Amino acid sequence: MLRTRLVRYTAAFWGFVVYMPVGVNYGATVFLFLAMLLGGSLRERGARLRASPMWWPIVIYLAWTLVVLAVGQHYPETAENLFHGIRIASTMLMAMALTRVEAVWALRGFLLVSMINLVLIVLNEAHVLPDQQIWRAVVSLQGNKSINDALLFTVLGASTAVLGLAHLADARRWHWAGPAFVFTVLMALIVTLVLPSRTSLVAMLVCVVAACVHQWRSHPRLLAGALAAVFVVAGLLVWQAPAAMKEKFELGLHEVEQAQAGEVSEASMITRYIMYRETTAMMLEKPVIGLGIGAWTSEWKKRGPKVLDYKNMPHNDYLWMGSQGGIPGFLSLLFIMVAGVWVCWRRPDLTGRLGFVAMLTLLIAASLNSALRDAQIGLCLPWICFLYLRLAEESGSPWREVLPQRLSGVFVSADGSPTHSL
């Protein structure tokens, strides 16, 4: 009995530790992989993977990586970058190989620890939480691990916005919309004040707009009204936003202007501008096969300004892959993200819409940060987003099984009516 349930327990553990330090994340990944081997049903998992719409996009990405490894130039960082490339694909494949019940348990772990972390943030803001390494990146900004946590809160905020929009259209359940939107605003406040992240705020706004389009794509008038309301609310929130966040966005625009004028510094947007420009040049230098796996760091040290030569990733995962594998490499990684978004777009109900905003968050994060290449983000965020995508491949109403039974009624159909076949 324990052997048959081992995978669901380790999947729940992996979902539970996504906010913890990266070493714990790696450990949870290894535990889940071993549990899959010990738990049996490998043939069934293989069949499930091959039947998934995500199988070929991921296989194409892996295959091209190996082709470039075989025929391309090698560098001191080749082994490390090959490891990260395989780790990215493996994380996605492990999520897609889970059974419905196992994916549900993994998301239960994620939602449970998210609620615990909200309590920790409140306690920290009240100055009664002791300073401990295990939760430090959740309650204060501590590098890329905190960016990971902010993006996970963004997924939660977008998810509750999806729920709020669905209930808003239901005359019998409209009262659920208020708490859902309040939770979305709470997530926005966290990524504004506690874990300030421009990427997270941009992703949340894009996801809310995209959720409106997904829900009312067959009703142009309702869609127009919903989008107008979203932009009005967003405008009010921007108007009332803390001065520090406004200054951060204004500073970002100013830094882009400085970078275009030739300024060189370690400022965030100046750094990104230079890295995007030089990495695009790397990709176009050898557009067919690329410069080779592990090329980016060595080439960056040659091309980038000395003040920035310590960087080891370009803050855009598609360009990172493009520099190594040329335009085919760039497209192979982008194809995975677009395919995931498309799978969820085709499903016009709430389950599809939840997967849609999760995959959009991942797509945006990989465009503006190293959300795949950097293991501090690239272990946890893809894992959770692909769990959302995994449920979007299931029939019926898989999300009803995630929450306790008395709360499962918050899930309604895309048109607002209660349903058991989401």
Side-chain angles (χ1 to χ4, degrees):
M1 181 67 71
L2 177 61
R3 183 179 177 183
T4 59
R5 296 187 177 184
L6 186 61
V7 176
R8 73 176 68 173
Y9 296 150
T10 52
F13 174 72
W14 192 179
F16 188 80
V17 301
V18 290
Y19 295 94
M20 291 186 183
V22 68
V24 181
N25 304 150
Y26 270 119
T29 304
V30 172
F31 291 155
L32 179 57
F33 178 74
L34 294 176
M36 285 182 169
L37 294 179
L38 294 173
S41 303
L42 295 180
R43 185 172 298 177
E44 177 189 337
R45 294 189 191 280
R48 185 180 303 114
L49 282 175
R50 290 190 295 273
S52 171
M54 301 305 299
W55 171 251
W56 284 113
I58 296 174
V59 167
I60 290 170
Y61 161 75
L62 278 174
W64 188 251
T65 298
L66 296 177
V67 167
V68 174
L69 177 68
V71 304
Q73 185 176 343
H74 292 176
Y75 301 84
E77 296 81 15
T78 293
E80 178 187 2
N81 277 259
L82 177 63
F83 167 78
H84 285 296
I86 294 175
R87 188 255 308 154
I88 290 167
S90 299
T91 301
M92 298 171 180
L93 290 172
M94 287 173 69
M96 303 308 292
L98 296 177
T99 66
R100 177 182 179 129
V101 172
E102 292 161 357
V104 163
W105 275 69
L107 285 167
R108 285 176 180 173
F110 168 58
L111 294 180
L112 175 60
V113 75
S114 296
M115 297 306 103
I116 292 173
N117 283 336
L118 289 180
V119 174
L120 293 178
I121 289 172
V122 171
L123 293 177
N124 186 70
E125 293 300 306
H127 304 291
V128 296
L129 185 72
D131 183 24
Q132 296 292 333
Q133 178 66 32
I134 196 168
W135 57 58
R136 189 175 297 153
V138 177
V139 299
S140 61
L141 192 60
Q142 304 288 329
N144 278 351
K145 189 58 188 178
S146 293
I147 299 301
N148 166 77
D149 299 345
L151 287 165
L152 291 175
F153 285 127
T154 296
V155 172
L156 287 173
S159 300
T160 51
V162 164
L163 291 176
L165 291 169
H167 286 96
L168 200 61
D170 185 356
R172 292 167 296 176
R173 291 174 169 263
W174 62 268
H175 56 280
W176 281 102
F181 290 140
V182 167
F183 194 90
T184 299
V185 172
L186 176 60
M187 295 301 99
L189 289 175
I190 287 175
V191 301
T192 301
L193 302 175
V194 180
L195 304 173
S197 167
R198 287 174 294 202
T199 300
S200 297
L201 281 174
V202 169
M204 194 177 298
L205 177 58
V206 170
C207 285
V208 172
V209 172
C212 292
V213 176
H214 190 288
Q215 177 165 326
W216 287 298
R217 52 186 158 177
S218 301
H219 306 280
R221 292 184 179 179
L222 290 175
L223 176 58
L227 291 178
V230 167
F231 285 121
V232 167
V233 173
L236 290 174
L237 291 176
V238 169
W239 179 44
Q240 295 295 325
M245 182 53 67
K246 291 181 181 179
E247 291 172 0
K248 193 169 184 178
F249 275 97
E250 291 171 358
L251 178 61
L253 293 174
H254 179 60
E255 288 173 356
V256 171
E257 293 174 352
Q258 288 179 306
Q260 290 174 334
E263 183 79 18
V264 175
S265 76
E266 295 184 82
S268 175
M269 297 309 295
I270 292 178
T271 300
R272 278 175 167 80
Y273 183 92
I274 297 173
M275 286 195 295
Y276 293 172
R277 182 189 65 201
E278 296 302 325
T279 307
T280 300
M282 293 180 201
M283 179 174 65
L284 296 179
E285 182 174 314
K286 289 190 177 180
V288 177
I289 200 66
L291 295 171
I293 302 299
W296 191 85
T297 303
S298 296
E299 291 297 320
W300 171 249
K301 290 182 182 299
K302 296 177 185 176
R303 303 165 188 244
K306 291 298 181 183
V307 70
L308 300 173
D309 67 358
Y310 65 92
K311 300 287 185 180
N312 64 355
M313 58 192 78
H315 287 77
N316 182 299
D317 290 315
Y318 314 114
L319 289 176
W320 164 71
M321 188 58 192
S323 69
Q324 300 184 119
I327 293 175
F330 174 91
L331 293 176
S332 69
L333 189 56
L334 182 61
F335 183 34
I336 295 174
M337 301 295 109
V338 173
V341 171
W342 177 246
V343 167
C344 299
W345 170 262
R346 290 189 306 170
R347 182 167 178 162
D349 61 5
L350 189 64
T351 299
R353 194 149 52 252
L354 287 167
F356 183 60
V357 297
M359 289 305 299
L360 272 180
T361 301
L362 182 57
L363 186 151
I364 293 169
S367 302
L368 301 175
N369 214 312
S370 298
L372 299 172
R373 164 62 179 83
D374 186 342
Q376 294 191 85
I377 312 174
L379 272 168
C380 304
L381 184 64
W383 165 244
I384 295 302
C385 292
F386 268 72
L387 288 175
Y388 274 65
L389 178 59
R390 174 68 189 89
L391 289 192
E393 293 185 356
E394 286 291 316
S395 61
S397 179
W399 276 95
R400 285 182 179 272
E401 302 162 24
V402 176
L403 295 181
Q405 188 173 1
R406 63 180 178 274
L407 294 178
S408 63
V410 302
F411 294 104
V412 296
S413 66
D415 62 2
S417 60
T419 181
H420 292 279
S421 58
L422 294 182

